[in-house]
Amino acid sequence: MFCVLHVDSNPFYAEIAKDVVLQNSIEYLAARNIQEAFHLLENNEVDLIVTGLEFTDGTGDAFILSIHKSKYKKIPIIVLSSRDDLSTKTTLFELGVIDFIPKSLFIDRFVPYLNNIASLDSFHNTLQNISIAVLDDNELQIRVIKDIFESYHIRNVDYYVHPNDLLNSNKQYALYLIDFILPHISGERVVWEVRQRNQYALIIGISSIANEKIISQILTSGADDYISKPVNKAIFMARLTANIRTYRLLQELKQKNLELEEMANLDSLTRLYNHRYIYDRLEEEIQRSKRYHHDLSIIMIDIDKFKEVNDIYGHPTGDEVIVKVSNALKNICRSTDILGRYGGEEFLIILPETSLSQGIKLAERLRSQVSELTYSHPTLQVTISGGVASLEDHSALELVKKADHLLYKAKSSGRNKIMY
């Protein structure tokens, strides 16, 4: 968690700062003087120091100077003071503080800082959790980037010296850092191939050549940003952090596209695959079964006397029946089976690597379980009939027709039956 150390002898501002910091889910530490501040620094991981300028054991100027001469010199410092003259500000900025906030503007100026800190902390957490690939044929440059990542505890990184090792890898990464000048293959080509495989990845090009043509090539080939070499640690991490916003937008886009695709493929009532998608999947599974000489069977199921259910109990009850039957089918079918609502009260189940006898056993289990379902109307009982067909040498249309014909025979011979 991000941690703020507030050094101020005034308890009033200490309380205000504490409330504001904690509201942003940031850890808050308070010190009344310089000695307490160094004690807290020694025993805690502090990310930001907010300090006043007047203490019982020294001045704020002296405290800031001592920080910059210590092992804590990389911690950014913000000054919070009632002194607002130009001379004071000039001196403090020369000492290396990142900002000066007058106490009269404390809330207005400090809250945006905290919001930004919370965002940066979140982006840093994202970098620690996503998968990262670095491609650079210069092993020294690889070492530099690795040291930067290690200093920020970012260890989920794979490093590649040879472009083909990355391109031949089956792994997909959330973030790619790709050197643009590579042996035997251009970085432009690598970026293009990575983008073709993973349209939602974040890709950043790296190059020691910083002319407009190279930068333009990197971006037009599919990269999201560009970082020049030699890599500066602060700029490198700032650019990565800024690009995490792009990554999150890409992930949101990916999720929305998946949801849209799901909506297009699913029946709205049952959340089973719809007619178009289940038929497309059947054609794919038939091709796969013929290619690898695997068994394939299908089950066509129809709810018996469904028109009477609607006529006697009403369409809402009819919908209840369809949903409960579809849920029963989902619960019994295996994870490898593909289940869809083929028509109004008709279902199609695709059974990959399943023989006719295995398909018959599953169909009988389905028929038995559905006959035991209960509904909001206690007197209502529902059964199903089904037809089971195996692939043999049929096309998708022929296989469906065969199962449908068997289903018709089951219904004609009394219903609540499975024919094969």
Side-chain angles (χ1 to χ4, degrees), residues 208-404:
S208 57
I209 303 173
N211 63 49
E212 293 179 0
K213 184 177 179 182
I214 290 294
I215 296 173
S216 176
Q217 279 183 275
I218 291 173
L219 298 177
T220 55
S221 62
D224 298 289
D225 201 0
Y226 163 87
I227 295 175
S228 60
K229 294 195 286 188
V231 172
N232 174 279
K233 179 178 179 179
I235 295 174
F236 179 78
M237 287 305 300
R239 294 292 284 273
L240 288 190
T241 302
N243 274 285
I244 289 299
R245 295 184 181 92
T246 302
Y247 170 76
R248 289 182 173 178
L249 289 173
L250 287 169
Q251 297 313 299
E252 288 177 15
L253 177 62
K254 179 181 180 180
Q255 184 59 38
K256 287 178 181 177
N257 285 342
L258 288 173
E259 289 171 1
L260 289 171
E261 184 178 338
E262 185 179 80
M263 288 173 62
N265 293 333
L266 295 184
D267 171 65
S268 59
L269 178 63
T270 63
R271 309 305 293 170
L272 301 179
Y273 291 126
N274 58 29
H275 178 101
R276 178 190 58 79
Y277 184 80
I278 194 70
Y279 192 85
D280 288 345
R281 285 298 305 271
L282 177 59
E283 290 188 321
E284 291 175 10
E285 292 301 325
I286 287 175
Q287 291 177 10
R288 186 177 292 110
S289 296
K290 289 182 177 179
R291 185 183 307 120
Y292 297 108
H293 307 288
H294 290 164
D295 288 331
L296 176 72
S297 298
I298 66 169
I299 305 172
M300 290 288 290
I301 287 173
D302 189 85
I303 300 173
D304 294 329
K305 298 183 178 180
F306 184 73
K307 186 177 183 301
E308 291 184 14
V309 173
N310 278 332
D311 290 344
I312 296 171
Y313 298 97
H315 288 279
T317 301
D319 287 347
E320 178 193 356
V321 169
I322 288 175
V323 169
K324 284 205 168 183
V325 169
S326 67
N327 287 339
L329 301 182
K330 280 189 276 190
N331 291 336
I332 298 169
C333 285
R334 305 162 300 183
S335 60
T336 52
D337 299 333
I338 305 159
L339 177 59
R341 185 182 180 188
Y342 200 70
E345 66 271 19
E346 198 170 37
F347 302 88
L348 172 63
I349 308 171
I350 305 170
L351 310 173
E353 300 186 32
T354 302
S355 65
L356 179 63
S357 61
Q358 292 171 321
I360 294 167
K361 287 180 182 178
L362 177 60
E364 285 291 355
R365 282 185 62 207
L366 296 172
R367 184 196 61 77
S368 175
Q369 289 289 323
V370 169
S371 66
E372 296 176 3
L373 295 175
T374 58
Y375 304 93
S376 55
H377 289 274
T379 59
L380 177 58
Q381 287 187 307
V382 172
T383 61
I384 58 172
S385 297
V388 187
S390 59
L391 177 57
E392 298 176 358
D393 197 32
H394 298 304
S395 66
L397 182 59
E398 291 168 340
L399 186 59
V400 169
K401 282 185 175 180
K402 182 178 180 181
D404 199 45

Side-chain angles (χ1 to χ4, degrees), residues 68 117 161:
H68 283 301
I117 286 168
V161 176

